[in-house]
Amino acid sequence: MSTVPYVRRSAGTETELPQVVVPSGEPLVSVIVPALNEARNLPYVLARLPEVDEVILVDGGSTDDTVGVARRLMPGIRVVTQNRRGKGNALACGFAAATGDILVMIDADGSTDPKEIPSFIAALRGGADFAKGSRFRGSGGSADITRLRRAGNKCLSMLVNTMFRTRYSDLCYGYNAFWARHLDVFGLDSTSPAPERGDGRLWGDGFEIETLLNLRAARARLRIVEVASFEQARIHGESNLNALTDGIRVLRTIAREWPRRRSGRRVAERAR
């Protein structure tokens, strides 16, 4: 039984939806936390979680005490070991293991504030299929993003909005929640082994996962609502994000997803 309280959605979201109060017994909420050597950050992150039904830590092969710390802090936490590398693969494995009706993805470094989770839940309960965090809408903001990343994100968002007819204000942000019934829409691979060649990742296993989810949600015509979110600076350690290489992967993701959208449109036109 879910113990996340019903909270009204933050103002200034992309689509205005009717507010629908759902009984507190439903839906069940699973929070997925990908982690790689985040032992020092987990005490802060787990302490700020609201009461939810399930917390899944997806470990990427940590060499510190990430798993031990998580289990000591939260005895009921579920620990899943990802089968390949990268944040995208970690999320895919976490989503596949989750049992909740709503899936929420947060970061283990303290940058995404767990106390904002009720706002995402409210957007979904209010009629959205996919609640997308935005640092550039309403009360959102960031204490971490650099000028280069901000400029790159803006350009990429404008490109996607033009190509996919979306209205995203923040394409490259990984704080999202969605109904588990839509998981198949994203076509994530959580079972294939790591490829022998290359860097051991399949496409979508890296930070491009955030863009991939946004594009496939739009392509599937899910009802998307942006939720204002404030990104904190990482507490301990250094980010694995590289503005240049990961920006290129985002561009490649946009290019790879675009032909599928056009193909789907042609099929729909022929069916008329």
Side-chain angles (χ1 to χ4, degrees), residues 6-224:
Y6 176 81
V7 179
R8 286 187 177 273
R9 176 169 46 87
S10 301
T13 51
E14 181 182 53
T15 306
E16 292 302 323
L17 300 174
Q19 296 296 332
V20 180
V21 178
V22 177
S24 60
E26 296 183 20
L28 304 181
V29 179
S30 296
V31 176
I32 291 84
V33 190
L36 176 62
N37 297 327
E38 300 287 5
R40 291 193 296 167
N41 293 322
L42 285 180
Y44 172 86
V45 174
L46 297 183
R48 292 180 67 82
L49 277 171
E51 293 186 41
V52 294
D53 303 284
E54 180 177 61
V55 180
I56 300 176
L57 180 87
V58 186
D59 183 56
S62 299
T63 56
D64 65 1
D65 196 26
T66 290
V67 173
V69 168
R71 284 177 169 155
R72 286 193 294 272
L73 292 171
M74 187 175 288
I77 197 169
R78 293 182 58 198
V79 177
V80 173
T81 301
Q82 65 182 99
N83 65 326
R84 295 191 298 273
R85 296 177 54 243
K87 181 180 181 180
N89 174 244
L91 286 171
C93 292
F95 293 154
T99 62
D101 304 298
I102 288 176
L103 308 183
V104 184
M105 46 190 278
I106 66 171
D107 292 337
D109 60 6
S111 59
T112 53
D113 187 354
K115 286 188 176 295
E116 294 179 354
I117 288 176
S119 295
F120 288 82
I121 303 304
L124 296 174
R125 287 178 169 176
D129 298 312
F130 187 86
K132 181 191 176 313
S134 174
R135 296 163 291 183
F136 309 122
R137 184 175 291 277
S139 60
S142 176
D144 184 62
I145 194 169
T146 64
R147 289 184 179 181
L148 176 61
R149 286 170 51 206
R150 183 186 293 269
N153 190 9
K154 183 176 181 179
C155 291
L156 290 168
S157 297
M158 292 174 62
L159 176 64
V160 164
N161 288 341
T162 300
M163 294 175 64
F164 290 81
R165 298 182 181 180
T166 54
R167 291 188 292 170
Y168 290 144
S169 63
D170 191 357
L171 180 68
C172 306
Y173 188 45
Y175 202 168
N176 302 304
F178 58 91
W179 291 99
R181 62 177 176 264
H182 297 306
L183 181 58
D184 288 348
V185 160
F186 302 109
L188 304 179
D189 185 339
S190 62
T191 58
S192 297
E196 296 181 0
R197 296 183 178 181
D199 60 3
R201 295 184 295 179
L202 298 178
W203 191 258
D205 282 354
F207 284 106
E208 70 274 9
I209 184 64
E210 296 155 1
T211 298
L212 190 69
L213 293 174
N214 292 331
L215 296 186
R216 290 185 178 176
R219 217 179 57 217
R221 301 183 184 277
L222 297 186
R223 195 170 191 186
I224 302 166

